[in-house]
Amino acid sequence: MRHRALGVLRRVVLSFLVLIALGIGAVYARTAWILGRTHDVALPAVALNTTVTDATEARRFTILIGCLSCHGRTGGGGRVSMPGVFELGAPNLTKVLPTYSDAELVRLLRAGVRRDGRTALGMPAATFYPMSDDDLGRVIGYLRSLPPAADRGPGPVRHLSFRARIGLVIGRFRTSMAAIDPSAPRWGEQPRSTPFERGRYLASITCSECHGRTFGGDADAGSPSLAIARGYDLPQFAHLLRTGQPIGGRDLGEMSEAAREDFVNFRDDEIADIFAFLRREFGAP
Ligand code: HEC
Ligand code: HEC
């Protein structure tokens, strides 16, 4: 009797283990498919002007939109990670760009598709999607003009924890392609004659990376809705973007870093435009 009960128990435990193994296998198979499949996305027919007339201004703009935060100040590469969840290598741009045509780069930045047809991962294409042709041309021209840089960062690695893989399967951790809404307006091609319109464009190609496409905040990135800007006046807002210090002065981690390294390069008029946009967008009086 006792013997038989043990036998049943053993079978239950064994079936359970087999199920778990099958589940894990399925998650690995599914993520391999998501990341490995190729997408047939036509090359965009845009004629970019990549002539750099003002290198200082082109560098300032390229820093503001973040290419040189992830790919390193020299373009030599860097690491994008969430400790314990994923680690992704952002490759050496001075080596990768010569292998890409301008049209392939536009496709990568606006659609999230790499040259090999696979989706990029960890490249915020949804943030670059709204960029105007002029600004894309300026950034690509500037990056192509960088001298060959020594390799930095981990190289082309994609380490994903099981948690990150589950996120990919359920769509909470989105690939660069999946994060794009192709029906969203491309603000860079819309009029930019008022502070609201100019601020909307600038915020969409900078703040959206962490605060989300409609600036509602992102729980996984730990970022609040930018409605919080209603509690700021313009000098306080400018101080936050230049120094990373919010009202009250506490350290904001990634936000403070982005401010000190990148946003410190915003001009006064640009900060005023972003402020005007956010206040109106979130219904401040
Ligand atoms: C938030 C970090 C981040 C920012 C900002 C960023 N990148 Fe990347 N980039 C990455 C990562 C991570 C990869 C590796 C993607 C992968 O493994 O699919 C990558 C890959 C690339 C690649 C190579 C794709 C391939 O075929 O392997 C190019 C080219 C590139 N980025 C250009 C740019 C340009 C231009 C900008 C600015 C407009 C930019 N990146 C901004 C993180 C970033
Ligand atoms: C690299 C990611 C990142 C980018 C890019 C970014 N933010 Fe943030 N931001 C955060 C995070 C994370 C927090 C929350 C930090 C905390 O509360 O510890 C935050 C917080 C804030 C806050 C709230 C400060 C407070 O009083 O608590 C404001 C305002 C803000 N960001 C504005 C902006 C604006 C404007 C932009 C674009 C110009 C921007 N952020 C771009 C990550 C980012």
Side-chain angles (χ1 to χ4, degrees):
M1 220 26 218
R2 237 179 110 215
H3 228 76
R4 187 168 318 146
L6 267 181
V8 171
L9 186 65
R10 192 177 299 140
R11 235 170 299 150
V12 169
V13 169
L14 260 178
S15 334
F16 197 65
L17 289 179
V18 168
L19 275 180
I20 290 181
L22 282 176
I24 294 178
V27 168
Y28 272 83
R30 180 75 187 163
T31 48
W33 181 78
I34 291 172
L35 298 175
R37 65 190 282 228
T38 55
H39 302 264
D40 197 10
V41 178
L43 282 175
V46 287
L48 289 187
N49 177 1
T50 56
T51 317
V52 180
T53 42
D54 180 345
T56 312
E57 173 56 19
R59 179 170 178 84
R60 186 187 78 92
F61 187 78
T62 306
I63 287 176
L64 277 176
I65 63 166
C67 311
L68 300 180
S69 310
C70 295
H71 290 274
R73 278 307 194 241
T74 59
R79 182 190 320 268
V80 177
S81 67
M82 190 184 272
V85 184
F86 60 80
E87 184 196 16
L88 305 167
N92 184 335
L93 288 181
T94 67
K95 286 187 179 160
V96 175
L97 291 192
T99 70
Y100 264 80
S101 68
D102 286 349
E104 285 168 338
L105 273 171
V106 173
R107 184 176 60 177
L108 171 71
L109 296 177
R110 282 191 179 158
V113 186
R114 304 195 311 189
R115 194 170 168 269
D116 64 9
R118 299 188 161 91
T119 179
L121 186 67
M123 256 284 293
T127 296
F128 305 135
Y129 166 91
M131 278 173 71
S132 68
D133 291 357
D134 280 357
D135 285 339
L136 271 181
R138 189 147 59 121
V139 166
I140 291 173
Y142 173 70
L143 290 172
R144 286 203 190 283
S145 78
L146 287 175
D151 286 331
R152 299 199 176 258
V157 298
R158 273 180 174 177
H159 295 308
L160 300 175
S161 68
F162 191 62
R163 190 174 139 202
R165 287 176 189 273
I166 299 227
L168 271 176
V169 170
I170 64 174
R172 177 149 180 176
F173 178 24
R174 284 174 302 172
T175 63
S176 302
M177 281 189 83
I180 292 173
D181 173 2
S183 69
R186 198 181 307 291
W187 298 123
E189 302 301 349
Q190 309 266 330
R192 273 179 274 152
S193 46
T194 65
F196 176 84
E197 290 164 349
R198 288 190 298 268
R200 175 175 61 191
Y201 177 55
L202 284 174
S204 73
I205 59 174
T206 56
C207 320
S208 68
E209 184 191 325
C210 303
H211 291 276
R213 194 175 60 77
T214 54
F215 315 108
D218 177 341
D220 290 324
S223 67
S225 160
L226 288 185
I228 199 171
R230 282 185 308 203
Y232 278 72
D233 63 21
L234 181 56
Q236 288 166 332
F237 187 71
H239 184 75
L240 167 66
L241 291 195
R242 293 248 156 77
T243 64
Q245 286 171 350
I247 298 174
R250 77 192 165 90
D251 185 78
L252 295 181
E254 272 208 314
M255 172 72 201
S256 297
E257 257 173 57
R260 285 191 297 262
E261 289 170 15
D262 302 347
F263 303 151
V264 65
N265 291 292
F266 274 127
R267 293 188 314 255
D268 289 345
D269 59 302
E270 291 171 328
I271 292 182
D273 288 345
I274 296 175
F275 187 66
F277 161 68
L278 288 176
R279 296 200 38 110
R280 209 181 108 190
E281 183 74 358
F282 288 104

